[in-house]
Every structure is written in structure tokens, then in C-alpha cells.
Amino acid sequence: MSERYVVIMAGGSGTRFWPASRKKQPKQFLSIGADRSLLRQTAERVVEMVGWDHLLVVTAEVHARHAQLELAELPEENLLIEPEGRNTAPCIAWATAVIHRRAADAVVAVLPADHFIADPAAFRAHLETALAEARPAEGAPRIVLLGLVPTRPETGYGYIQAGEPIEAHEVRQVARFVEKPDRETAERYLAEGGYLWNSGMFIFHVDAMRTALAEHLPELATKVDELVESPRKLKALYPELPSVSIDYGVMEKAAGVVVLPSNFPWSDVGSWDAAHEIQRKDAAGNVALGDALLIDAKNVLVDARAGRLVAVVGVEELVVVDTVDALLVIPRGRAQAVKAVVDHLRDQERDELI
Amino acid sequence: MSERYVVIMAGGSGTRFWPASRKKQPKQFLSIGADRSLLRQTAERVVEMVGWDHLLVVTAEVHARHAQLELAELPEENLLIEPEGRNTAPCIAWATAVIHRRAADAVVAVLPADHFIADPAAFRAHLETALAEARPAEGAPRIVLLGLVPTRPETGYGYIQAGEPIEAHEVRQVARFVEKPDRETAERYLAEGGYLWNSGMFIFHVDAMRTALAEHLPELATKVDELVESPRKLKALYPELPSVSIDYGVMEKAAGVVVLPSNFPWSDVGSWDAAHEIQRKDAAGNVALGDALLIDAKNVLVDARAGRLVAVVGVEELVVVDTVDALLVIPRGRAQAVKAVVDHLRDQERDELI
């Protein structure tokens, strides 16, 4: 049997969870949906399948120390630190090259560090299937995308239109990738069926990925091999890698990419609204974290984990997030407007708050 | 001309401005409507008329140091410290006895420390009239109440029904005192006219007050004279004084109490709602204090004077108050529900937050 590896992509940054998330503390380090960070949750979700020695984490220099603290069990050589972010294709190509050198017959699952999965066992069952499908008993090794069966007309995700089923397998061909749709289109996708949310998680045999990279991003394929041969060149070489996403650079072009329709509860936790959605609520639909006092409140999210009492009285559909140096009050459904706050702070050069 | 004194009653406590107000920092110490405390504003409003040496402040032991810091110019002997709160009649009787000993012909204005008056000059003009009316050129000295001409059917104030005008004077007889009315009654008062808001401010000649006290609260009248004779008995005597309000104990019973219909802008600042009302607002009706960032907000009050950024996005009709250890979010119009928060904290024995 092929050795199995998991690569967690933890290099992301973002502002959608301001004020909890900051440049130095992006979303993957926030405790959402559990009392551990999303990064830690992601690692714990798979470590029983592959062990810490077969888990790789790719992150940015600025977040490396934080990642080490979160994942104390991770062997030092399994933390891949990008000198600078170059989008997902270089990150995955590098990790694939590292794994290939350790185990030339490996199958690899690539997982974003900042998703929430409420049922880890159901997720693992799908992952087992995908790992098997990535190296079928007969035929060529493959790249397998995890595609979630939609449960609502979500406009915040990209979709994969599934193509023909593959006989005797659970995966299907990929007909096409589609960008985030408008509401009407998303409703049509839901009604028609055959469209799946692109989870950003994928599983492949190293040969399948290396073949695809060599064909579609040959410069990248060559340079990551050079990187693995000469690790000391990392700081010099990495910034030269082509900055391109794995979807655009490989998935949408490569032959033999398949999708596994999946139905475990999944969220990419894209906003405070989503954070409210996924968490355990009281009878009035409230999520109260930390020292929150809710009186006559309904469908609110109060994050009071900064050590101060947050009393919320007589309000509905509101998000209140307290931190040591900044506080946010914003209605549910308006969570995208967090960006306006961060933009304003940037304009005001209040970098310490971003 | 009689000497003129002002007594500021600063002994109050309350929870309606939680979390800004606490047991140790009641409303009179909050900066509302200006960048100085209501107590300081009250003193500055009258000091140009009487001078610091003719200004007396009555407060509680627990607040005495705070009052001294706020009113550094106040002579030490002008700060009257109640060993325990005994309602307003003992406080006023004591201050009156102190003033009478210093100037037997004095006229005195008694002012609560926690009201807001947007036009101090208009207020002083009324006060001048009232001081003159308290010691008319002809006839007996009087007690003059300041009654505000209502501008709305307010249910939060007590009313004074004005009686007959007094010839050649601006004051009128008092027909009766009425408790806080319901909405319908308040609307009738407004429509009928002749009803005035009881401001809790009154002006008297010491003889008029001492005569009224001797008649209606004789025990109190005797004991405060004893107190002034023997200040060292304060801690022993004061707690024995009858706990009664000046309205109930004197004003509603004494003959010769008159009311001066007044029309300066006045608020007793009874809640966060009132605090929003009286303050300068931007074009969208927002009051933003301290490090507040408002985006797409309307009719909100944000008090961000605790050193933390408070970002409020996309909300209307909301009050957000940040302090070092507690935060409140409550809709405008629900400000009375602050009490529910304080009650809850008391039940939970979280006294450090009250």
C-alpha cells in the first residue's frame, strides 16, 4: 500500500474575522467551532489516519512560530516555511516534491487549515475513499477533488460540475469548474443537481500531481525539484516561483482530474455570519463565547473571550466581537462589511490594529 | 442684599449608566454632554455667580475624595460629607443650618449634581430671578421651585401644577405636586398647560426653609442645629436623622412655596437614551465619543473612551458603551433594561462589576 501523507496549507491571511483575526493572527489560528484553533482542529482530524510524521504543514515565515506552538507534536522537518506567499500551486508543488523524495509512491491529501468540519469521522470516511481512488488498483494514478453536495444556493463558493460517473468507482469526471455564481445561478445549480461545492481539498498520488505539474507548470515542476535537492536555496528560489493557484494552474487543465461527491458537514468559515452558522446555539439562536451576558437576545454571536464582560440586551441578529484593543459590532448578514473597517484603518495608517 | 449660596447635592448613586457608572463612580462623576463631569459642569455653571467660597457640596463618604479631585477649588469646609445617605431632607436641612450659621440672611439655591443644562446663561438668568423671588422686597421670604415648561409628554418626570399668578411677580402659587404620569396623562398636561416639570432645583431664603422645617420636620430642624453646634457629633447624629425626601417632607406641605415657570433646555439625564438626546450629533444622528469608528450607522451612541477602538458598522438605534472591564450593547429606547444587567450581576455576586 502507498504511504499516506497529509499537507495542511496554513499560509493564508485575511481580514474577514477582524478584530479577532489580524495580520499576525489569521483565521487558521482562531478557535472557531471548538476550543482549539482551526489549524489544530484540522491536524487532529487527520492525525489518527497518518500520524504526525506523515503530516506536513506549509505556512508563512511570520506565522511559523505560532504554528509550532499550536502543533507541538509536529516534527520540525514537517513544517515547510514559505519565504513569501506565492499562491497555492508553488506551495503544493513544493510539498509534493518533499513527499516524493521521502516516499516515491505516496498518496497525498491537501487540506486548507481554516475550514470547519463538524463530523470528523464522516470526513475521514470520505478521505479514505479519496485516498484509495487516487491510486486505483487498475489504471493511472489520479487527482481527486472533494466536492460537497450543496445544501443551499450558496453564492460564496466556487462549484464543480460533475461529469460522467466512472464505472465501479465513487468518483466522477469533472465537466467544468465554475466561479462563485449569483443567487439565481446558485439556485439553478441546486435544482438541477450535479453541481458540487469546490471545497479546496484534494487528494492525489504524487505521480499524478508531478505529471500534471510537468505538463502545465513545467518551470515550477523543475524549480521545486531543485529546491528539494538544495534546501539552502529556499530563500533565493522560492520568490521566483510563478504565483498561480492550483485550480487555475493545474486542476482546470489537467486530464484525469476527478471529483468525489461528498456530504459531510463542511464550512470554509468565510465570515462572522458563517461562524455563527456552524457553532452550537442556545434555544434563542445565540452563540455566546467567554464572559458574555445575554438578556432578551436572539440570533446573536457574542465573542467575549478577551477577559471583559460583554452584556448584550434586547438585540437580534447582531455580531459582537471583543478583543483586547478593538471591538466590532455588526449585524448578521452584513459581515462582509468588516472589510470596510479594515480599509478605513489602513487609510488611517493604524497598522497596529490590522 | 442677602448673601447668595449654592448647595450641590452630589450624594446620589445609581445603576442606570452602567457600565460607565458604578457604585464608586455614580452618574455625577461621568462626563456627559461635555468633557467634564456633570458635577464639575454644575459647579462651573454657578460659580461665576457666587464664587467657590459660597458653593457647598454635599456628598457621601465613599465619593468625597472623588468630589475633591473634581472640584479642586472648593474650600475644604464647603464639602459636607454625609456619614450615610438619609434622603434629601436631612442633606438640605444640614446645608441650610451650616449656611445660616455663616450668613443668617442668606438665600440658597439647591441643585442636583447630575443634571445637564445646555444653555448655562439662560439657566443663570432664571436663577437670578428665583434668588430675587426667594427674598422679595415686600412680604415674607419664600421657597421657589424651578418648574420647566414641558416640551414633550414626558413620563419620566414628576410635575408641578402651577396655581394662581402672584401679582407683579414672575412666580406662581403651587396648586399641587403630581407623580410621574402615564403617557395619556402627560399628553393631557401638555395640551392643557399649567403643568411644569419638577426639576428638583429650588431656591429659598434660609428663614423660609428653617421655618418650614421647624413646622413639618421639627426633629430634623433641632438635630441639624445641634450638628452645626457640635460638628464632632456628625457620625453619631447623622444616621439618626429621619430619612425623608424634601418634596414629601417639606415642599408638598409648606405654605408659601411658589414655582418659577422656566424654559431653559434641561435634562435630568435619566438613561443612556437621554444621554444620546442631549449630545451633539452628526448628520446621521450619531454620538461618537472617544475612539469610535462608525460606518453606515444611524442614531447610535458609541462611548469608546476606554482606550479601545470600537467599530460599529451597519446598525441603527443602538447604544454601545465600552469600559475597561465591561461592555454594554443595548438598543435605544430599551435603556431602562440596563437594570436587568445589574440585577443579574448582583445575583451572580460579581460586585466588582457593579
Side-chain angles (χ1 to χ4, degrees):
Chain A
M1 194 172 113
S2 301
E3 285 192 56
R4 310 195 301 183
Y5 279 82
V6 169
V7 175
I8 297 178
M9 293 188 293
S13 63
T15 57
R16 289 184 292 183
F17 279 87
W18 188 93
S21 70
R22 305 289 174 97
K23 268 183 196 157
K24 291 187 178 165
Q25 177 168 291
K27 186 181 123 198
Q28 59 268 30
F29 295 109
L30 302 183
S31 297
I32 301 176
D35 58 358
R36 289 145 294 144
S37 70
L38 289 170
L39 171 60
R40 178 87 204 169
Q41 292 178 52
T42 304
E44 290 184 351
R45 199 179 294 136
V46 294
V47 78
E48 67 177 63
M49 287 174 65
V50 299
W52 288 101
D53 57 332
H54 279 47
L55 182 65
L56 270 67
V57 175
V58 189
T59 192
E61 246 173 28
V62 66
H63 303 135
R65 179 76 187 128
H66 202 156
Q68 283 175 319
L69 291 169
E70 285 289 308
L71 308 172
E73 304 93 328
L74 190 74
E76 196 182 337
E77 65 273 19
N78 284 11
L79 186 67
L80 306 188
I81 303 170
E82 295 180 292
E84 72 174 58
R86 301 297 291 167
N87 210 329
T88 48
C91 154
I92 289 154
W94 181 27
T96 302
V98 169
I99 292 168
H100 179 256
R101 193 180 173 83
R102 295 190 197 173
D105 185 39
V107 285
V108 180
V110 173
L111 309 175
D114 58 353
H115 291 179
F116 178 75
I117 293 172
D119 185 346
F123 165 73
R124 281 189 294 269
H126 284 82
L127 193 55
E128 289 285 358
T129 302
L131 286 163
E133 292 284 359
R135 196 189 191 294
E138 297 161 15
R142 293 192 288 226
I143 299 175
V144 181
L145 309 172
L146 285 193
L148 278 298
V149 178
T151 53
R152 57 180 188 274
E154 176 65 49
T155 59
Y157 298 148
Y159 285 69
I160 298 165
Q161 186 179 14
E164 292 303 308
I166 296 173
E167 201 177 342
H169 289 271
E170 295 186 47
V171 294
R172 297 176 65 166
Q173 305 285 3
V174 171
R176 62 183 179 117
F177 288 81
V178 283
E179 290 299 300
K180 295 177 184 177
D182 60 22
R183 178 82 187 185
E184 195 182 343
T185 308
E187 284 174 353
R188 184 164 59 77
Y189 290 170
L190 192 63
E192 284 183 12
Y195 288 87
L196 303 163
W197 291 336
N198 185 355
S199 71
M201 297 183 277
F202 44 88
I203 296 91
F204 52 82
H205 188 277
V206 286
D207 287 347
M209 179 58 76
R210 288 169 64 80
T211 301
L213 286 167
E215 183 173 352
H216 301 287
L217 296 170
E219 183 198 346
L220 178 61
T222 308
K223 283 194 170 159
V224 293
D225 278 349
E226 190 181 345
L227 214 54
V228 171
E229 287 296 323
S230 314
R232 283 194 292 183
K233 292 185 182 171
L234 181 66
K235 291 212 177 190
L237 275 183
Y238 207 87
E240 294 176 9
L241 301 183
S243 179
V244 57
S245 80
I246 193 75
D247 275 7
Y248 178 78
V250 174
M251 302 304 184
E252 298 181 13
K253 292 167 180 160
V257 175
V258 296
V259 61
L260 178 66
S262 310
N263 56 13
F264 52 87
W266 169 83
S267 170
D268 81 344
V269 206
S271 67
W272 284 115
D273 290 343
H276 180 268
E277 288 297 329
I278 63 172
Q279 309 214 43
R280 195 176 308 226
K281 292 176 254 307
D282 68 16
N286 300 313
V287 177
L289 306 170
D291 196 3
L293 170 55
L294 274 55
I295 297 178
D296 192 17
K298 200 171 152 186
N299 294 334
V300 305
L301 166 65
V302 178
D303 187 341
R305 290 179 290 184
R308 182 179 11 262
L309 173 71
V310 177
V312 173
V313 184
V315 298
E316 298 187 3
E317 306 289 338
L318 203 67
V319 172
V320 179
V321 182
D322 188 34
T323 69
V324 168
D325 57 357
L327 171 85
L328 174 70
V329 179
I330 195 165
R332 251 164 50 85
R334 287 290 306 272
Q336 303 303 333
V338 169
K339 190 175 177 306
V341 176
V342 177
D343 288 348
H344 183 91
L345 293 173
R346 198 172 285 122
D347 289 348
Q348 302 285 313
E349 296 181 354
R350 300 187 68 178
D351 294 339
E352 76 285 3
L353 290 172
I354 301 175
Chain B
M1 194 170 113
S2 301
E3 286 192 56
R4 311 195 301 183
Y5 279 82
V6 169
V7 176
I8 298 177
M9 293 188 292
S13 62
T15 57
R16 288 183 293 181
F17 280 87
W18 188 92
S21 70
R22 305 290 173 97
K23 267 184 196 158
K24 290 188 179 164
Q25 176 167 292
K27 185 180 121 200
Q28 58 270 31
F29 295 109
L30 302 184
S31 296
I32 300 177
D35 58 359
R36 289 145 295 145
S37 71
L38 289 169
L39 171 60
R40 178 89 204 170
Q41 292 178 53
T42 304
E44 290 184 352
R45 199 179 294 136
V46 295
V47 80
E48 68 176 64
M49 288 175 64
V50 299
W52 288 102
D53 57 331
H54 280 48
L55 182 64
L56 270 66
V57 176
V58 190
T59 192
E61 247 173 27
V62 65
H63 303 136
R65 178 76 188 128
H66 201 155
Q68 282 175 320
L69 291 170
E70 285 290 307
L71 308 173
E73 303 92 330
L74 190 74
E76 196 182 338
E77 64 273 21
N78 285 10
L79 186 67
L80 306 188
I81 302 170
E82 296 179 291
E84 70 173 61
R86 301 297 291 166
N87 210 330
T88 49
C91 154
I92 289 153
W94 181 28
T96 302
V98 168
I99 293 168
H100 179 256
R101 191 178 174 84
R102 297 190 195 173
D105 185 38
V107 285
V108 181
V110 174
L111 309 175
D114 58 352
H115 291 179
F116 178 75
I117 293 171
D119 185 347
F123 165 74
R124 281 189 293 268
H126 284 84
L127 194 55
E128 288 285 359
T129 303
L131 286 161
E133 292 284 359
R135 196 189 192 294
E138 297 162 13
R142 294 193 286 228
I143 298 175
V144 181
L145 309 173
L146 285 193
L148 278 298
V149 178
T151 52
R152 59 180 187 273
E154 175 64 50
T155 58
Y157 299 148
Y159 284 69
I160 298 165
Q161 187 179 15
E164 293 302 309
I166 296 172
E167 202 177 341
H169 289 271
E170 297 186 44
V171 295
R172 298 177 64 166
Q173 306 285 4
V174 171
R176 63 181 177 118
F177 289 81
V178 282
E179 292 297 303
K180 296 177 184 176
D182 59 23
R183 178 82 189 188
E184 196 183 344
T185 308
E187 284 173 353
R188 184 163 60 76
Y189 290 170
L190 191 64
E192 283 184 12
Y195 288 87
L196 303 164
W197 292 336
N198 185 355
S199 71
M201 297 183 277
F202 44 88
I203 297 90
F204 52 82
H205 188 278
V206 287
D207 287 348
M209 180 57 76
R210 288 170 63 80
T211 302
L213 286 166
E215 184 173 352
H216 301 287
L217 296 169
E219 182 198 347
L220 177 61
T222 309
K223 284 196 169 159
V224 292
D225 278 348
E226 189 181 345
L227 215 53
V228 171
E229 288 296 323
S230 315
R232 283 194 294 183
K233 292 185 182 172
L234 180 66
K235 291 213 176 191
L237 274 184
Y238 206 87
E240 294 175 7
L241 301 183
S243 178
V244 58
S245 80
I246 194 75
D247 274 8
Y248 178 79
V250 174
M251 302 304 184
E252 298 180 13
K253 292 166 181 159
V257 176
V258 296
V259 62
L260 177 66
S262 312
N263 57 12
F264 52 86
W266 168 84
S267 170
D268 80 345
V269 206
S271 67
W272 284 115
D273 289 343
H276 180 267
E277 288 297 329
I278 62 171
Q279 309 215 42
R280 193 175 309 224
K281 291 175 257 303
D282 68 16
N286 300 313
V287 177
L289 306 171
D291 194 3
L293 169 56
L294 274 55
I295 297 178
D296 191 18
K298 201 171 151 187
N299 295 334
V300 304
L301 166 66
V302 179
D303 187 342
R305 290 180 289 184
R308 183 179 8 263
L309 172 71
V310 177
V312 173
V313 184
V315 299
E316 297 187 4
E317 306 289 339
L318 203 67
V319 172
V320 179
V321 182
D322 187 35
T323 69
V324 168
D325 57 356
L327 171 85
L328 174 69
V329 179
I330 195 166
R332 252 165 48 86
R334 287 291 306 272
Q336 303 303 333
V338 169
K339 190 176 178 302
V341 176
V342 177
D343 288 348
H344 183 92
L345 294 174
R346 198 173 286 121
D347 289 348
Q348 301 285 313
E349 297 181 354
R350 300 188 67 178
D351 294 340
E352 76 285 3
L353 289 173
I354 301 177

